[in-house]
Amino acid sequence: MKVCIIGQGYIGLPTAVLFADNGCEVVGVDINPNIISSLNSCELHIEEPGLKEKLELAINNKRYSASLNPQKSDVFIITVPTPNNIEDLSCDLSYVISACESIIPCLEKGNTVIIESTIAPMSTNKIIKPIFEKAGFEIGKDLYLAHCPERVLPGKIIEELINNDRIVGGITPQCSNKAAEVYETFVKGKIMKTEAKTAEMSKCMENTFRDVNIALANELTKICSKIGVNALDVIELANKHPRVNIHSPGPGVGGHCLAIDPYFIYSLAPDEAKMIKLARDTNNSMPKFVVDKTKDILENIDEIEAIETPKIGILGVAYKGNTGDTRESPSLICIELLKEEGFEIAIHDPHVEDENYCSFEECIENASICIVLSDHDEFKNLDYGLMKEKMRNPIIFDTKNITTKKTINLKK
């Protein structure tokens, strides 16, 4: 089987190497020539455990190549971004539409086309299906079209692509069968067949469920802060109940899924999706909450009055621990808000390359406070002795609740 995968990002590339690892000939397509050049030289543009080794094996076995253009194949998989439309927060399908149109010259009767990109419910039926029908294909008879959303966690993408259950939503039952056969190449989890519109809504609701529950934890944190209760103690005790699982609060919600997908549902039925929108608003408010709390902490330091521009050390900009993924990261919003307040900002993230970021020592040097905004392993056991020595005030504001608690004399 030859597989052509459009989009070589966090989902497309791992999917490509897994098909190659299981005997398929794979062409990875991307519009970025730098990405294509890097991949053909076996250089990664994303960080994901186990990915480089599988890419090297696929290239050495001549089962994978990257290209700017699609090629004739048996299966075409679309894994391109789907951001929000600015006007109404609906799903922007422009990249998906462009990807679908790009493969039409390569399509032949009997091919299977799979949309993995997260899309709003009814998109496959109402928008994507007509693209191929206009090109002369009858869906379900000479072209098989399905929506099969990815359901993976950054940092564990390879493992979860293989082992997680998979939703396969075909336009027709035969489309579902054909798409299921494709994933049977490497998926060990259960392959669940359904309609495209059901698969679309299921994917959006998976992420919305998590977003709403995180919003509940963040709202609890705000309430506890106002009345003087330790929110983390409340969550720990409440979660001892066998049917309670309050999520962890934090500086906000990032990533290309949780921060985006709930709006796809909201935009379709805004009058009904009130809870979904409120959860999004709550999570979007957390960077300002972090900044306000930072200001409160600094205002309680006597010597702060003598500092014209206090320095704040930022530990982490990635939205997900142990990855370099900064998509929709609330850390970036926190940083901008702190800059607007006039603070001097130094940023350190061991997983994100940026010429404006600095080393850990440079970040903490003379800082009045350090804020942990990413749950990287490197921040779980910080060098408190060095921080005591280098910082103006040895204060850590841990918004991710990951730092190891140690007894140490932090007074100068």
Side-chain angles (χ1 to χ4, degrees):
M1 182 168 69
K2 183 173 181 179
V3 183
C4 182
I5 300 180
I6 314 298
Q8 291 297 278
Y10 284 92
I11 301 302
L13 182 56
T15 301
V17 299
L18 283 177
F19 275 112
D21 197 32
N22 285 272
C24 299
E25 179 186 352
V26 182
V27 178
V29 178
D30 203 281
I31 61 173
N32 188 327
N34 293 327
I35 289 177
I36 297 304
S37 176
S38 296
L39 290 177
N40 284 326
S41 299
C42 207
E43 296 176 3
L44 293 181
H45 58 289
I46 57 176
E47 180 182 5
E48 182 61 35
L51 183 57
K52 186 173 178 61
E53 293 80 4
K54 287 195 175 295
L55 178 62
E56 288 178 347
L57 182 63
I59 290 176
N60 290 337
N61 289 338
K62 300 187 184 304
R63 294 195 180 278
Y64 173 87
S65 63
S67 173
L68 288 168
N69 302 302
Q71 297 178 13
K72 288 185 180 295
S73 301
D74 303 299
V75 177
F76 296 83
I77 301 177
I78 310 295
T79 65
V80 296
T82 47
N84 296 119
N85 282 308
I86 297 175
E87 301 81 13
D88 59 1
L89 301 176
S90 62
C91 179
D92 180 356
L93 284 170
S94 58
Y95 297 114
V96 173
I97 292 171
S98 178
C100 290
E101 291 174 342
S102 75
I103 66 173
I104 287 176
C106 301
L107 289 177
E108 297 177 338
K109 289 186 176 182
N111 286 168
T112 300
V113 177
I114 297 171
I115 312 299
E116 284 200 6
S117 305
T118 303
I119 53 182
M122 301 306 298
S123 296
T124 308
N125 287 75
K126 291 185 176 181
I127 299 172
I128 298 170
K129 176 171 168 270
I131 293 173
F132 299 112
E133 288 178 329
K134 185 178 178 180
F137 293 97
E138 185 175 355
I139 305 302
K141 291 195 175 179
D142 52 22
L143 187 70
Y144 305 100
L145 176 62
H147 174 59
C148 307
E150 53 83 12
R151 317 166 84 197
V152 295
L153 184 71
K156 294 184 177 180
I157 292 178
I158 296 290
E159 174 188 341
E160 295 202 347
L161 280 174
I162 296 172
N163 296 306
N164 284 4
D165 294 342
R166 197 76 192 231
I167 298 174
V168 173
I171 292 294
T172 68
Q174 186 62 11
C175 290
S176 296
N177 292 336
K178 289 289 186 179
E181 290 174 6
V182 172
Y183 289 106
E184 286 169 358
T185 304
F186 66 83
V187 172
K188 295 180 180 178
K190 184 179 180 181
I191 297 177
M192 302 170 290
K193 301 174 188 178
T194 185
E195 295 178 291
K197 60 186 178 182
T198 305
E200 292 162 342
M201 181 62 90
S202 295
K203 168 62 177 180
C204 288
M205 276 309 300
E206 288 172 11
N207 291 329
T208 299
F209 171 86
R210 295 179 61 208
D211 190 56
V212 169
N213 280 276
I214 293 170
L216 179 63
N218 283 334
E219 186 171 280
L220 169 65
T221 297
K222 286 185 169 184
I223 295 168
C224 287
S225 176
K226 185 173 184 177
I227 66 176
V229 176
N230 188 315
L232 296 177
D233 288 345
V234 171
I235 293 172
E236 181 181 3
L237 291 172
N239 283 350
K240 298 296 184 182
H241 189 289
R243 290 174 295 281
V244 174
N245 180 27
I246 301 174
H247 287 29
S248 298
V253 172
H256 189 60
C257 292
L258 272 65
I260 300 290
D261 301 349
Y263 289 125
F264 295 173
I265 299 174
Y266 168 74
S267 65
L268 295 177
D271 291 337
E272 291 75 20
K274 291 182 172 64
M275 185 183 297
I276 292 173
K277 179 60 163 57
L278 182 58
R280 281 279 72 237
D281 292 343
T282 299
N283 288 333
N284 284 339
S285 74
M286 293 309 291
K288 185 178 185 303
F289 179 77
V290 169
V291 171
D292 289 343
K293 296 282 59 171
T294 301
K295 291 165 63 179
D296 289 344
I297 294 169
L298 292 177
E299 285 172 2
N300 289 325
I301 302 173
D302 292 336
E303 65 176 305
I304 197 66
E305 297 177 357
I307 306 171
E308 184 174 346
T309 307
K311 176 182 175 180
I312 296 178
I314 300 295
L315 299 180
V317 293
Y319 90 90
K320 186 70 181 176
N322 303 321
T323 75
D325 196 344
T326 61
R327 293 176 296 175
E328 309 297 326
S329 175
S331 305
L332 299 175
I333 301 174
C334 289
I335 291 167
E336 289 306 310
L337 291 175
L338 289 167
K339 287 180 178 178
E340 290 175 6
E341 293 287 344
F343 293 109
E344 177 188 349
I345 305 296
I347 305 169
H348 170 66
D349 192 311
H351 295 268
V352 179
E353 293 185 11
D354 191 299
E355 60 183 12
N356 296 313
Y357 298 169
C358 59
S359 66
F360 176 69
E361 286 199 26
E362 291 172 319
C363 181
I364 67 174
E365 181 72 40
N366 206 36
S368 294
I369 188 173
C370 281
I371 311 176
V372 177
L373 292 174
S374 299
D375 51 343
H376 297 318
D377 286 345
E378 290 87 344
F379 301 152
K380 293 179 180 178
N381 292 285
L382 294 167
D383 189 337
Y384 296 136
L386 182 64
M387 297 182 84
K388 173 185 174 183
E389 175 187 342
K390 296 288 186 180
M391 293 178 66
R392 179 182 291 274
N393 298 292
I395 298 174
I396 302 169
F397 181 11
D398 179 8
T399 71
K400 304 294 285 188
N401 191 33
I402 60 163
T403 52
T404 301
K405 309 301 185 292
K406 292 182 179 178
T407 301
I408 182 170
N409 180 12
L410 291 178
K411 293 184 177 180
K412 294 279 188 181

